[in-house]
Amino acid sequence: MPVIPSGARAAAAAALSAPVLLLSGCGSSAPAAAPRAPGPTGDAAAQRGLARALLTSAEMPLGFERQDGSGAASAIGCAGIDRLYLATGTAARATVSFAHVVSDAFVNETVSTAADAGAASAGVEAFRRAATDCRTFAGAQNMSYRVTALAFPRLGDGSAALRVSGGVRESRPVDLVAVRVGPTVVVIANANSGRVDTELTRTVVARAVEKVRRAG
């Protein structure tokens, strides 16, 4: 049975469902005007295929349990990130979240399929440019954000990695990694109330990409 997160884990869970919360502390709530992720636009078969490509608890590192009902994702306010994290304009989309039973680590995986490989590649490149285009910006409630490039191995047919952090002491940094496999893009978000474990990010991304390859 999935473990219901408590304390800081609950805040991290809510944060990855609405990235703006990730950077604004435990007591914040999602702004009412924040745009929600679009519903699936592809056919049912494509949607089921992507759902099968998602990681399961058994495929995650030890101690992670799936978290259901964590809510719809909201925009952070950087177009290059939002386009992939919210899977805007894609043919199909599936997502899953996991919380660690001991630590405050929380991981979200989003898999989406674009119209073609070119569109998927353009999305990953826009995501990469967020380190420049959104280096510093003001998001919801005038919260300040910083986006930096994250050193990460090249994976799939193209990949990019970012770290997003907020301008307040209570902010939670998040690693965001996007990997393209043909027309499919995998986005992994890894957050913690303290220091983000980038080795954990690498492990989860590698497993997610391998599973998408097998499913494809």
Side-chain angles (χ1 to χ4, degrees), residues 127-177:
F127 180 91
R128 184 194 313 279
R129 291 195 304 272
T132 300
D133 297 343
C134 301
R135 183 171 50 189
T136 59
F137 69 99
Q141 300 175 342
N142 291 320
M143 179 68 65
S144 62
Y145 300 96
R146 182 174 67 255
V147 181
T148 56
L150 182 67
F152 212 82
R154 179 181 171 85
L155 295 169
D157 298 319
S159 60
L162 306 170
R163 175 163 291 170
V164 184
S165 54
V168 295
R169 186 178 63 182
E170 298 83 1
S171 65
R172 295 180 179 83
V174 55
D175 285 354
L176 286 167
V177 182

